[in-house]
Amino acid sequence: MNRALALAALALTVVAGVGAVAEKRSGYLDAGPQTRAMQDDDTANPAFLWVQRGETMWGERPAGADGRSCQDCHGDAAQAMRGVAARQPAWDAATARLMNLEQRIDRCREERQGQPRLPPESEGRLALAAFVGLQSRGLPMSVAVDGPAAAGHAWGKALFETRFGQLDLSCADCHDRQAGQRLAGNVIPQGHPNGYPIYRLEWQGMGSLSRRLRNCMTGIRAEPFAPGSPDALALELYLAGRARGLAVETPAVRP
Amino acid sequence: MARALLNVPKRIRRGDVFEVKVLISHPMESGQRRDDRGAVIPRDIIHQFSCTYGDELVLRCELFPAISANPFLSFHVRARDSGTLVFAWKDDQGASHSETLAITVE
């Protein structure tokens, strides 16, 4: 689809329709009825294969005498992790930077369990993020964009509105101004991050928000931000702030 | 990740026709795709699936390419007695898998 996206994006700059500022609308509503049906039924949503793996990992003790599982420290995930994903990314005082959910899980694994870091987009990292994210399903996105997060948020907004790449398009060109229009047969959603990690039909698998953003950036032939970099985190924070009030759908299904 | 998600209704009464839903973790590689170097990626799909209920075979099917990864199957079974559903499948790599699910019929 990337090639199609890039070509169609060219056409889009010519069309240049002026979209009115719309109400917040989850990408769920722009997906087809079959895709929505998969998301609506946990027994038909393939993301639950990962969720189940994440649930097992939550209770697994790392080898070693004092190895503690996530469960040993945090207790029941339904209580301990409720609302956590709805607040990410958030400012981390200890390291004085923004951190997203996956990075918080990485930190617990590395520093508190003495385990190797799970590679980005690996089954285990997606499984834990999906399982932790699920505990916030239905809660409103409620990230903090003020206080120490304000500077990152402002930077994320600037990035969202900056034109990048050979096609010279910004995120806002598509997701603010052309949302609801079509691009190569796909409806352009408003671009909300409320369902991640997602099961994406095009990927035939699960992927993180970073992977989704990499797709949008390579689609406009821009160099994607390195996952976990300050630019990527600022953009993720701006997206989360822009989606405030939408219900968390993790793990969502998208076309 | 989990190998399969197996689901039946929470309450099943004798004589009821109930739905069985099976979601299997599998790449379902069609054999039509090529990798970055142009080499054909060998076909690897689940080509046979069956379900037995007690000692009765209730479903057997052959599967073909053009089914998405992590296939979802659903079918209906009439409840007789409490017992075990055994699901078995085979793929092109020669791997055979089976999973069981105990059901209680009221």
Side-chain angles (χ1 to χ4, degrees), chain A residues 41-50 52-53 123 127 199 203-206, chain B residues 1-5 7 21-28 67-70 72:
Chain A
D41 179 356
D42 292 352
T43 66
N45 179 350
F48 276 80
L49 293 164
W50 279 260
Q52 213 174 67
R53 171 95 186 93
E123 191 181 298
Y199 189 86
W203 296 331
Q204 296 276 287
M206 198 94 191
Chain B
M1 70 191 115
R3 201 173 341 155
L5 305 179
N7 283 283
K21 299 193 221 174
V22 185
L23 208 161
I24 306 173
S25 160
H26 200 278
M28 297 297 276
I67 295 176
S68 63
N70 306 314
F72 176 70

